Amino acid sequence: MYNAKAYSASSPTSQLTSTTIPRRDPGERDVQIEILFCGVCHSDLHTVRDEWKDVMPAVYQCVPGHEIVGRVTSIGSAVTKVKVGDSVGVGCMVGADLTCPQCQKHMEQFCPNVTLTYNSPDKGAGPVTYGGYSDSIVVDEHFVLRVPENLDLAAAAPLLCAGITTYSPLRHWGVTKGKKVGVVGLGGLGHMGVKFAHALGAHTVVFSTSPNKRDDAFRLGADELVVSTDAAEMAKHAGSFDFILDCVSAEHDLNAYIHMLAIDGNLTMVGAPEKPLPLGIFGLLFGRKSVSGSMIGGIKETQEMLDFCGEHNITSDVEIIPIQKINEAYERMLKSDVKYRFSIDMASLKAE
Ligand SMILES: [Zn+2]
Ligand SMILES: [Zn+2]
C-alpha cells in the first residue's frame, strides 16, 4: 500500500478538502496511472452529498471522480494492453467478474459484481474505492482505456463518462447517415450527444427551452435548434424523429418528445430524474414507439468510442479548474453555469 494525495468529503454536508488515501501496490495485472485530469460529473456531486443514499449510500471519506485521464507510470508483469508513458483513461468501472453473461457480452456495466470507480466496496486498500480526484490510481488493465494521442487530455477526460453515456445509445439504436436525431438538453451530456450524432452523419436537432443556445448548438454540429416551448415550431417536427436522446435530469414532459418520434422511433433517457415521469401510453401505441434507458457502456465499446473520437477529433468542451475550485464548481454546475464540463487539472494537487 502507498499513500496518494486526494480531495475528499468527510460527510454529506462537508466541503471537499485535501487528504491522503491508501492505494494498493500494483499487482501483476495492474496499471499504475499518474492522473493528469479528471472531469466533474453530476454523479460526483450526488454521491458526495449522499443524494443517492437509497441505492448507493456514500461511505466517508468519499473521493469522487470517474472521468480520469493520465499517463501510465508502472505496469504489472502480466500487463499487455498498455506500456509505461501511454496516455490512458479510466471511466466509471474498475472491476467486474468478467465471467457472467453480461460480461461475456462486453456489458460489464450491467455485471452484478461490478466495482465502480468510487464508493464501491473494495477488496484492495480502502473499505471503498477512491476515484479520480487524486494524483494516482491503480487499476486492473481490463478497465484501462487507451486515449488516442491526438486528443487534448483535459478535454478528453469527460469522454470517459459523458462521452460513452451518449455514444452507446446512439450506436445501439442505429444512428447513422440519413437518420433524424433529436437531443434534449444542451449540457455536459447533451453537447456530447450533438457532437456524436453529427459525426455519425445524422441530421441533428437540439431541443432547448432557450433560443439563445442556437449559436452554440450550431457550433457543436447541430443542423437545427427547436425551441421546445414554441408549440408551432414543435408541431412542424411532430412524427419525424428516428431517435431522441433525452439528457434532462430535471422533471419534464416526456410525452411532448414521444409526439416528435416517427413510427418505430425510440426515445432513450440518459438523464436520471429523481421522481417518476408520467408516460402517456397511447402516444407509444400509435406508431409502435418506445422509451428506454441507457447507462454508460462496456469497456470494448468505450474503447471504440475513444478511437472514434481520435478519428473525428472529438473531445468535450471544458473549463479547466484547479482542484482548489472544486466546491465552487459544484455550485456552478447546479446552476448549469459551465460550458460544458469542468476538467480538474490535477497538477494543482501538488500544491497541497
Ligand atoms: Zn459520470
Ligand atoms: Zn460480470
Side-chain angles (χ1 to χ4, degrees), residues 96-103 108 111-113:
D97 56 32
L98 305 183
T99 54
C100 75
Q102 288 79 273
C103 285
E108 299 91 340
C111 175
N113 298 304

Side-chain angles (χ1 to χ4, degrees), residues 40-44 66-67 92 118 160-162 165 296 341:
V40 179
C41 177
H42 261 104
S43 311
D44 300 353
H66 60 203
E67 296 183 336
C92 305
Y118 58 81
L160 278 305
C161 174
T165 296
I296 55 173
R341 205 76 156 169

